[in-house]
Amino acid sequence: MAAVAPAAELTPTPATTTGRQIPIVCPGHTRPLAELQFCSISENDSDEKQQRTFLISACHDKMPMLRDGATGDWIGTFAGHKGAVWSCRLDPAALLAGTASGDFSVQVWDAITGQSLHSFPHKHVVKTVDWSLDSKRLATGGHEGILRIFDMSQPKKEPLMFDQSSKEKVSISKCNWLDNSTVLAAGEDGNIRFWNVDETDPSKQLTKALAVGDSIRDMELLTLSSGKRILTVAAGEKVTFFDIASGQQIKSHKMPIHFKVEGGASLHPSGKKFIAGGGRRGGSMALGAGKEGGELGSDLLVYVFDFETGKMLECHKGHHGPVRCLRYHPDGKSYATGSEDGTIRLWKTDP
């Protein structure tokens, strides 16, 4: 198991940071952002270069939005939720959108027209949603501590359900499909559970678990250009990376920020660097000033770190609130950040 690297210096030296960036600002939301996802599709099967990328955003203003992933231009809004939207995902073909909300429901939308196709009721706040690789099934999770699998060919059928723990309720913060049969569920107890959702024997459904020790705020599954699949996990004060094939921890870097109530991390498609944003140590906007110390105005910066060493490479100002979510564009040339200030900003990777 890799050792945890010491925390990166909070203030980068001139040699480790690029000049000040002026990102593209994407207004429209009115409350804190909760999740971002890029989705690239080929518009012409005969020409792989004809790619179009979309950016979908979940926000506490109840109005998830779809944008052009390159320019940030607004395409449409999915209107219908009655509570904060915590999670949003486009299916691999970008034809369907799934959203998870604090109104105890998950909505499935036609991503072209914005029409609501299905509404799946839950019994508590839903924090995460993800599509299977073949777009046939939808996974959901949240405060109930139950991973649900909905069959899109039979939307009225009762979903498959997987309780995270028989001893206690373990809220699910994120979920990701590993393949068309396996779902990763990140728990507030610091464990990532691998569920075989096609296994009928309950004793064999939980196939593996990875432990990070702290409540998990963000989880990203990425296939690098080399073909290697890496799981990026933001929890506590660390960003940890796992090799999915072996299940082994590759790196774990202590950050100058924390992920106790906000923030996340994303790995560059090259696997050579990663971005992170979160709360300032000792306090955050979400917690406010209190016993833990710190100021009400928490960390507003976007950080870029070296994957191998954890050294800070860049540090950018722009948001007026803590960074709550962020993701690299699939081509690696830019990345998006969503903040408590209600804006999305698009940054160049190598300005």
Side-chain angles (χ1 to χ4, degrees), residues 170-251:
V170 177
S171 296
I172 301 171
S173 57
K174 297 288 180 181
C175 69
N176 289 97
W177 287 84
L178 178 61
D179 52 47
N180 286 320
S181 298
T182 309
V183 179
L184 281 60
E188 295 285 350
D189 63 351
N191 291 301
I192 300 167
R193 295 170 173 84
F194 290 58
W195 295 95
N196 182 342
V197 298
D198 289 329
E199 176 59 61
T200 57
D201 185 346
S203 66
K204 298 179 181 179
Q205 291 171 344
L206 181 61
T207 62
K208 187 193 304 184
L210 302 176
V212 295
D214 292 289
S215 180
I216 298 167
R217 190 62 48 218
D218 193 18
M219 180 174 71
E220 176 191 57
L221 182 60
L222 179 69
T223 301
L224 304 182
S225 53
S226 64
K228 191 174 185 179
R229 302 187 78 183
I230 303 295
L231 186 68
T232 303
V233 182
E237 296 182 351
K238 297 181 293 182
V239 175
T240 304
F241 302 92
F242 294 92
D243 181 337
I244 281 294
S246 66
Q248 295 297 308
Q249 177 179 304
I250 306 171
K251 299 285 182 180

